[in-house]
Amino acid sequence: AAVGSVSGSLWLALAAAIAVGVALSLLHGYACVSHRGDQVVLGMAVTMTAAGLTVVLGIAWFKQGGQTPPLADSVRLDMLLPGVVAALKDVPWLGQIVGVVLLSHNAFVYGALAAVAGVWWLLYRTRFGLRLRASGENPAMVDAAGVSVLRLRYQALRINGVLAAFSGAYLVLALTPAFLP
């Protein structure tokens, strides 16, 4: 295993992040969707619990005051196209705009941009999106059509958990090499 890494695997780290993100999203959904709890209060409770739990687990596992040791470069995500950026670096004006601004990011950044388009397409161009939007605006109509409103909402919560997990994983796997409280 790499220094600061339990498994040394980027893919295992992403899978763990997704599992935790989906679990927390479903926990929030269980309280809000199934038991009609207040979304703001329960969202704050889940957020504060997760923020505190990460520090406690960091102390227990790594004994570094809630921080983790730095991840090895083999686990981290680097710039997607470093060769192209280096080649364009010396080209006046074009090198700065294309090389630095557009191409000097990692896969998470481009994935986030693609996710915006993907979520728009999912919500506005698919049957699932139409039903999901209707389950928020007029759940009685969706129920009358024979579609489970709870099932739709929980499917949306799973998608939310995956997207939130990617944003959290970005912080450690691409932005900074270690977790800090």
Side-chain angles (χ1 to χ4, degrees):
V3 173
S5 172
V6 175
S7 70
S9 169
L10 171 69
W11 301 110
L12 189 59
L14 285 174
I18 290 170
V20 171
V22 169
L24 288 174
S25 186
L26 290 175
L27 174 67
H28 184 258
Y30 177 73
C32 293
V33 174
S34 297
H35 294 289
R36 303 210 183 269
D38 186 282
Q39 294 177 13
V40 174
V41 172
L42 290 164
M44 287 300 295
V46 169
T47 300
M48 292 172 66
T49 301
L53 190 60
T54 54
V55 175
V56 170
L57 290 174
I59 291 170
W61 288 339
F62 299 106
K63 314 263 189 282
Q64 293 187 357
Q67 299 179 27
T68 62
L71 291 175
D73 289 339
S74 63
V75 180
R76 299 197 62 226
L77 281 177
D78 288 329
M79 191 183 321
L80 198 59
L81 302 168
V84 174
V85 172
L88 291 173
K89 183 175 65 171
D90 296 332
V91 177
W93 192 77
L94 180 68
Q96 289 297 312
I97 291 177
V98 174
V100 175
V101 175
L102 296 177
L103 299 178
S104 65
H105 304 290
N106 57 50
F108 273 118
V109 173
Y110 301 115
L113 294 172
V116 170
V119 169
W120 175 86
W121 178 81
L122 180 74
L123 288 175
Y124 293 100
R125 294 290 185 244
T126 65
R127 180 178 292 151
F128 170 77
L130 176 64
R131 288 176 176 172
L132 181 63
R133 288 183 289 129
S135 73
E137 294 173 12
N138 194 349
M141 180 185 68
V142 175
D143 192 45
V147 178
S148 171
V149 173
L150 285 178
R151 190 168 147 250
L152 278 171
R153 289 179 178 175
Y154 275 103
Q155 286 174 337
L157 283 165
R158 283 189 208 73
I159 294 168
N160 168 65
V162 170
L163 293 174
F166 278 129
S167 68
Y170 168 80
L171 294 175
V172 174
L173 298 175
L175 189 62
T176 57
F179 172 79
L180 304 170

